[in-house]
Amino acid sequence: MNKPAILFTLLFLVSTFSISAQSKNGFWDKDRATTKEIVVSARDRIVVKTEDLPQGTTEIVYRITLLNENQEMASSLVSVLKSIPDPSGISQGSAGAVFLLSKVSGEDKCKYAIFSSEKASSDYVGSGETSRACLFQNNPINKEAKRISIGKTTCFNADSEALWFSFESKNWIMNQKIVLEVVPWVDAKLSRGWSKENKKSVIDLCKSSDFAQLMVNSDDFCLCVLDKFEKENTFKEFQDMLAIEKSKDFKDYGNTCLTEKPNNKAILNGIRKDAATHFKNKKYNDAIDLLTIGVIDNGNVSILDYNSLATYYLYSKQYDKALKAINKGIELDDSELRLQLNLAHFYMLTNQFGKAKTLHKKYQSQNITAKTSWKAQTKTDIQEFKKAGIQLDDLDKVLEVLGK
């Protein structure tokens, strides 16, 4: 391919992808880029620290250019990157590499190495030892441009604050002028500081809350709370909150997670399941508190929630509260026979056998669900009452009414 064709292709690629240079996924951080002109004495070594890498840096592009005396850069690396899209695109290819290189360079050459710690770079200045370098160029160069990514190098990680570039002059007589440019690519999401460890710290706090402690499995709930914190705050902002502010936000976000529809469906179903588990384990107060706080108080109550709550109250011998829950459910739908059966149990457990008998006579020929008859469920419930230590003469009387 001839030179005009190559130039046309490069210009086309740059114009096509330039819009992507600052994408929703991240941005080249020109405000915290490093641009330093360094003078290195003949046969000397020198270390240059970059500007602090911003939170969320996932990769950097750097350019090293050696200039002759009075020579100036034709264009800065930051200005070049305005025409280079984000790291997932064309900058990985030849066009990116071509445009990253300096348009000018001198005849002098140098070696260089990159270190992730100041101590390692200082050792290099004294001995020229590169074993602790994360990247080094042992062949003298007069210009260089590269991109390095987190996870693909030991040069930096999510917590790195800076990099140290070390240069060794190969001019034995004259000083060298070196221009170092480093531009970080900042991932928009990671820049908010929510690393895996930081997320875990919020999850752990959530799981230690009184409400989460009531749950058998609070994962869905705490993940929802974490999502609210991530959207509303950077991790630094979260860290800077007073304890009372964090407590309020945990409560507010928790309430939002329980009231949002339909996003809260999995959370609510988990709460109902956990309440039933507490009930099975005879932790009646935990079952009542969890269902009340997690479902009923947040406006998500169903008829069957009232039925479950009534059952928990009956077994814990809180009969007036059981009746209140039953009546609220019946107000919504008086044809729900599971509620009517619990009402019959209430009458039986409060020595109102006549009223209980009336209900059993009325509904004994019906099914309370598609597969379960009134009689079968009544017999099962009476056996469960006995297992729970509830012993009444009226229990067996009910079986007589149903004809056993």
Side-chain angles (χ1 to χ4, degrees):
M1 187 180 291
N2 57 37
K3 288 185 177 180
I6 294 174
L7 179 60
F8 174 80
T9 301
L10 293 177
L11 290 175
F12 173 77
L13 289 170
V14 168
S15 62
T16 301
F17 291 102
S18 60
I19 296 175
S20 301
Q22 305 293 94
S23 73
K24 65 180 180 180
N25 296 321
F27 57 95
W28 295 111
D29 194 337
K30 60 183 180 62
D31 294 327
R32 286 174 282 191
T34 298
T35 302
K36 294 186 178 182
E37 188 173 293
I38 312 132
V39 175
V40 185
S41 300
R43 294 177 291 177
D44 200 3
R45 299 189 189 97
I46 192 171
V47 174
V48 179
K49 180 188 176 185
T50 67
E51 300 296 335
D52 289 344
L53 298 175
Q55 181 80 46
T57 298
T58 57
E59 47 199 290
I60 64 166
V61 170
Y62 68 88
R63 182 170 69 172
I64 298 168
T65 310
L66 279 75
L67 300 176
N68 289 337
E69 188 177 359
N70 299 323
Q71 192 176 20
E72 295 182 354
M73 298 293 295
S75 60
S76 70
L77 180 57
V78 167
S79 66
V80 171
L81 287 173
K82 290 179 180 178
S83 299
I84 303 291
D86 69 58
S88 62
I90 192 67
S91 63
Q92 296 183 56
S94 58
V98 169
F99 274 87
L100 287 175
L101 289 174
S102 307
K103 292 184 180 180
V104 295
S105 62
E107 296 178 357
D108 277 347
K109 294 185 178 182
C110 74
K111 295 180 179 181
Y112 74 90
I114 305 176
F115 297 88
S116 57
S117 73
E118 184 176 14
K119 177 65 169 61
S121 65
S122 297
D123 292 344
Y124 171 80
V125 171
S127 64
E129 176 60 46
T130 60
S131 61
R132 296 170 65 187
C134 59
L135 189 152
F136 68 91
Q137 174 57 268
N138 208 32
N139 296 317
I141 50 92
N142 66 345
K143 59 184 176 181
E144 184 92 290
K146 285 188 177 180
R147 163 180 166 262
I148 54 179
S149 303
I150 191 170
K152 297 181 180 180
T153 174
T154 58
C155 284
F156 68 100
N157 55 45
D159 298 318
S160 296
E161 295 181 357
L163 294 175
W164 285 262
F165 280 74
S166 302
F167 299 96
E168 180 180 351
S169 169
K170 301 311 293 180
N171 190 321
W172 284 54
I173 301 174
M174 305 293 292
N175 293 345
Q176 288 183 331
K177 184 164 68 172
I178 301 174
V179 176
L180 171 66
E181 300 168 280
V182 182
V183 184
W185 173 266
V186 180
D187 183 284
K189 187 174 182 180
L190 295 179
S191 68
R192 296 180 62 78
W194 289 104
S195 65
K196 185 180 297 184
E197 293 75 15
N198 294 340
K199 289 180 181 181
K200 186 177 182 302
S201 68
V202 177
I203 292 288
D204 290 343
L205 275 174
C206 174
K207 285 181 174 291
S208 68
S209 66
D210 291 341
F211 178 69
Q213 290 281 308
L214 284 172
M215 303 175 72
V216 177
N217 185 344
S218 59
D219 287 353
D220 285 343
F221 174 72
C222 287
L223 284 172
C224 179
V225 171
L226 171 63
D227 182 63
K228 304 300 178 189
F229 271 108
E230 285 188 83
K231 288 180 179 178
E232 298 297 328
N233 310 274
T234 64
F235 183 70
K236 179 67 166 55
E237 291 170 341
F238 171 78
Q239 283 183 307
D240 291 341
M241 286 182 181
L242 298 173
I244 192 172
E245 292 176 313
K246 289 181 181 178
S247 178
K248 181 181 183 301
D249 279 355
F250 267 110
K251 182 178 179 180
D252 290 345
Y253 294 155
N255 287 337
T256 300
C257 287
L258 295 174
T259 55
E260 280 183 332
K261 296 178 180 179
N263 298 335
N264 62 352
K265 185 176 180 180
I267 297 173
L268 295 179
N269 287 340
I271 289 172
R272 293 179 175 111
K273 182 178 179 180
D274 290 350
T277 298
H278 287 317
F279 170 70
K280 183 178 180 180
N281 293 329
K282 298 184 179 180
K283 296 180 179 180
Y284 303 135
N285 285 337
D286 287 347
I288 291 167
D289 289 345
L290 183 56
L291 191 62
T292 301
I293 297 170
V295 177
I296 296 173
D297 288 351
N298 285 288
N300 292 295
V301 64
S302 69
I303 296 172
L304 295 183
D305 291 326
Y306 280 128
N307 185 66
S308 296
L309 185 62
T311 300
Y312 304 157
Y313 279 132
L314 289 175
Y315 275 79
S316 60
K317 299 182 180 180
Q318 300 182 70
Y319 299 129
D320 289 345
K321 291 181 179 179
L323 179 60
K324 184 177 180 180
I326 291 168
N327 286 335
K328 284 187 175 180
I330 290 175
E331 286 176 9
L332 296 177
D333 185 359
D334 62 2
S335 68
E336 176 52 64
L337 294 193
R338 279 169 285 195
L339 281 166
Q340 295 292 349
L341 182 55
N342 258 337
L343 180 57
H345 294 334
F346 165 78
Y347 289 141
M348 176 183 62
L349 296 173
T350 56
N351 297 314
Q352 302 179 68
F353 180 71
K355 292 182 179 180
K357 181 178 178 180
T358 299
L359 287 175
H360 284 298
K361 286 288 188 181
K362 181 177 181 179
Y363 297 115
Q364 65 178 337
S365 62
Q366 296 192 41
N367 279 7
I368 63 170
T369 68
K371 295 183 178 181
T372 306
S373 69
W374 175 282
K375 283 186 177 183
Q377 189 62 52
T378 301
K379 292 176 182 178
T380 298
D381 289 352
I382 287 176
Q383 291 302 316
E384 292 300 319
F385 281 131
K386 289 181 177 180
K387 288 180 183 178
I390 299 174
Q391 299 292 336
L392 291 172
D393 292 339
D394 288 345
L395 290 176
D396 292 327
K397 288 182 181 180
V398 168
L399 295 178
E400 292 175 4
V401 170
L402 297 174
K404 295 188 178 182

